[in-house]
Amino acid sequence: MTGVWVLLGAVVLAVLAGALLRARSGKVRAARTATVPEAVRELLDETGVTLVQISTEFCADCRRARSTLERFAEENDSVRHVELDVTDRPELATALRVTSTPTTLAVDPRGAELFRFSGLPVPETLREQCARQFA
Protein backbone atom coordinates (compact mmCIF):
# COMPACT_ATOMS: atom_id res chain seq x y z
CA MET A 1 0.00 0.00 0.00
CA THR A 2 2.88 2.39 0.71
CA GLY A 3 4.11 1.93 -2.86
CA VAL A 4 0.78 3.15 -4.23
CA TRP A 5 0.97 6.32 -2.14
CA VAL A 6 4.56 6.96 -3.24
CA LEU A 7 3.57 6.48 -6.89
CA LEU A 8 0.55 8.76 -6.50
CA GLY A 9 2.71 11.42 -4.83
CA ALA A 10 5.28 11.23 -7.64
CA VAL A 11 2.57 11.63 -10.28
CA VAL A 12 1.08 14.64 -8.50
CA LEU A 13 4.53 16.29 -8.21
CA ALA A 14 5.25 15.63 -11.89
CA VAL A 15 1.94 17.18 -12.94
CA LEU A 16 2.54 20.24 -10.77
CA ALA A 17 6.10 20.68 -12.08
CA GLY A 18 4.85 20.40 -15.67
CA ALA A 19 2.10 22.95 -15.06
CA LEU A 20 4.60 25.38 -13.50
CA LEU A 21 7.02 25.05 -16.42
CA ARG A 22 4.23 25.51 -18.95
CA ALA A 23 2.95 28.59 -17.13
CA ARG A 24 6.43 30.17 -17.18
CA SER A 25 7.20 29.32 -20.81
CA GLY A 26 7.35 32.37 -23.06
CA LYS A 27 6.73 34.84 -20.22
CA VAL A 28 8.93 37.91 -20.10
CA ARG A 29 10.87 38.33 -16.88
CA ALA A 30 13.07 41.07 -15.54
CA ALA A 31 16.79 40.96 -16.28
CA ARG A 32 18.75 38.73 -13.91
CA THR A 33 22.27 39.95 -14.70
CA ALA A 34 23.48 43.54 -14.82
CA THR A 35 25.89 42.89 -17.68
CA VAL A 36 26.58 39.75 -19.63
CA PRO A 37 29.98 37.98 -19.64
CA GLU A 38 32.60 38.82 -22.27
CA ALA A 39 31.85 35.62 -24.23
CA VAL A 40 28.33 36.95 -24.83
CA ARG A 41 29.39 40.57 -25.43
CA GLU A 42 31.45 39.39 -28.40
CA LEU A 43 28.20 38.31 -30.11
CA LEU A 44 26.30 41.58 -29.67
CA ASP A 45 25.12 43.91 -32.38
CA GLU A 46 26.74 47.33 -32.06
CA THR A 47 23.63 49.33 -32.89
CA GLY A 48 20.52 47.49 -31.71
CA VAL A 49 19.21 44.83 -29.40
CA THR A 50 20.57 41.31 -29.67
CA LEU A 51 18.35 38.38 -28.76
CA VAL A 52 20.79 35.82 -27.35
CA GLN A 53 19.18 32.39 -27.39
CA ILE A 54 20.78 30.08 -24.85
CA SER A 55 20.50 26.50 -26.12
CA THR A 56 21.89 23.03 -25.53
CA GLU A 57 22.59 20.18 -27.87
CA PHE A 58 19.70 18.07 -26.59
CA CYS A 59 17.06 20.80 -26.33
CA ALA A 60 13.94 19.84 -28.28
CA ASP A 61 12.29 23.29 -28.11
CA CYS A 62 15.44 25.17 -29.12
CA ARG A 63 14.85 24.58 -32.85
CA ARG A 64 11.36 26.04 -32.66
CA ALA A 65 12.64 28.98 -30.60
CA ARG A 66 15.41 29.60 -33.15
CA SER A 67 12.88 29.69 -35.99
CA THR A 68 10.64 32.17 -34.17
CA LEU A 69 13.52 34.44 -33.15
CA GLU A 70 15.14 34.41 -36.60
CA ARG A 71 11.82 35.41 -38.19
CA PHE A 72 11.37 38.17 -35.61
CA ALA A 73 14.87 39.54 -36.24
CA GLU A 74 14.31 39.51 -40.01
CA GLU A 75 11.15 41.62 -39.53
CA ASN A 76 12.82 44.15 -37.20
CA ASP A 77 15.87 46.08 -38.37
CA SER A 78 17.00 47.02 -34.86
CA VAL A 79 17.01 43.40 -33.62
CA ARG A 80 19.57 40.68 -34.22
CA HIS A 81 19.35 37.01 -33.18
CA VAL A 82 22.29 34.82 -32.15
CA GLU A 83 22.29 31.36 -30.64
CA LEU A 84 24.73 30.33 -27.93
CA ASP A 85 25.12 26.61 -27.22
CA VAL A 86 26.12 26.06 -23.58
CA THR A 87 26.26 22.25 -23.72
CA ASP A 88 30.03 22.28 -23.14
CA ARG A 89 30.08 25.62 -21.29
CA PRO A 90 28.06 25.15 -18.09
CA GLU A 91 30.03 27.92 -16.38
CA LEU A 92 28.56 30.38 -18.88
CA ALA A 93 25.03 29.19 -18.13
CA THR A 94 25.77 29.61 -14.43
CA ALA A 95 27.14 33.12 -14.94
CA LEU A 96 24.00 34.05 -16.89
CA ARG A 97 21.78 32.39 -14.26
CA VAL A 98 20.13 30.20 -16.88
CA THR A 99 18.50 27.07 -15.48
CA SER A 100 16.59 25.80 -18.52
CA THR A 101 16.79 25.97 -22.28
CA PRO A 102 15.75 27.63 -24.40
CA THR A 103 16.19 30.89 -22.54
CA THR A 104 16.48 34.12 -24.52
CA LEU A 105 18.16 37.27 -23.26
CA ALA A 106 17.57 40.67 -24.84
CA VAL A 107 20.85 42.55 -24.55
CA ASP A 108 21.71 46.11 -25.53
CA PRO A 109 24.95 47.08 -27.34
CA ARG A 110 26.71 47.85 -24.03
CA GLY A 111 26.08 44.33 -22.73
CA ALA A 112 23.25 45.19 -20.34
CA GLU A 113 20.50 42.61 -20.12
CA LEU A 114 17.14 44.27 -20.80
CA PHE A 115 14.78 41.34 -20.21
CA ARG A 116 14.61 37.57 -20.67
CA PHE A 117 12.16 34.80 -21.20
CA SER A 118 12.33 31.05 -20.78
CA GLY A 119 10.82 28.49 -23.08
CA LEU A 120 9.31 29.14 -26.47
CA PRO A 121 8.96 32.82 -27.32
CA VAL A 122 5.50 34.16 -28.04
CA PRO A 123 5.91 36.54 -31.01
CA GLU A 124 3.24 38.99 -29.84
CA THR A 125 4.72 39.18 -26.33
CA LEU A 126 8.17 39.67 -27.81
CA ARG A 127 6.87 42.48 -30.05
CA GLU A 128 5.22 44.23 -27.09
CA GLN A 129 8.30 43.99 -24.90
CA CYS A 130 10.64 45.23 -27.63
CA ALA A 131 8.28 48.13 -28.37
CA ARG A 132 8.54 49.16 -24.70
CA GLN A 133 12.33 48.97 -24.83
CA PHE A 134 12.60 50.98 -28.07
CA ALA A 135 10.10 53.65 -27.05
Side-chain angles (χ1 to χ4, degrees):
M1 186 65 173
T2 303
V4 172
W5 288 111
V6 170
L7 179 61
L8 182 61
V11 169
V12 168
L13 285 176
V15 168
L16 290 175
L20 177 65
L21 288 174
R22 184 168 296 153
R24 291 181 58 188
S25 183
K27 302 285 190 219
V28 174
R29 296 189 335 229
R32 297 185 76 189
T33 57
T35 58
V36 295
E38 185 61 34
V40 178
R41 270 188 255 141
E42 294 170 357
L43 304 171
L44 300 180
D45 184 34
E46 296 177 4
T47 58
V49 171
T50 303
L51 299 175
V52 181
Q53 177 187 340
I54 310 300
S55 301
T56 55
E57 191 174 313
F58 305 106
C59 171
D61 287 336
C62 290
R63 288 185 200 123
R64 289 178 28 206
R66 178 185 321 119
S67 174
T68 299
L69 294 169
E70 284 176 348
R71 224 175 303 117
F72 184 80
E74 288 172 4
E75 295 169 359
N76 296 279
D77 293 335
S78 59
V79 176
R80 180 172 165 237
H81 168 253
V82 296
E83 187 171 4
L84 180 62
D85 188 330
V86 295
T87 302
D88 298 322
R89 301 171 77 182
E91 72 285 350
L92 190 53
T94 301
L96 292 168
R97 301 171 79 185
V98 171
T99 57
S100 65
T101 57
T103 294
T104 304
L105 313 176
V107 185
D108 76 6
R110 296 169 292 136
E113 182 181 337
L114 303 171
F115 60 90
R116 68 172 53 201
F117 50 93
S118 299
L120 293 172
V122 177
E124 187 56 38
T125 304
L126 184 55
R127 256 188 290 289
E128 290 170 5
Q129 189 65 30
C130 284
R132 281 187 215 140
Q133 294 296 323
F134 302 147

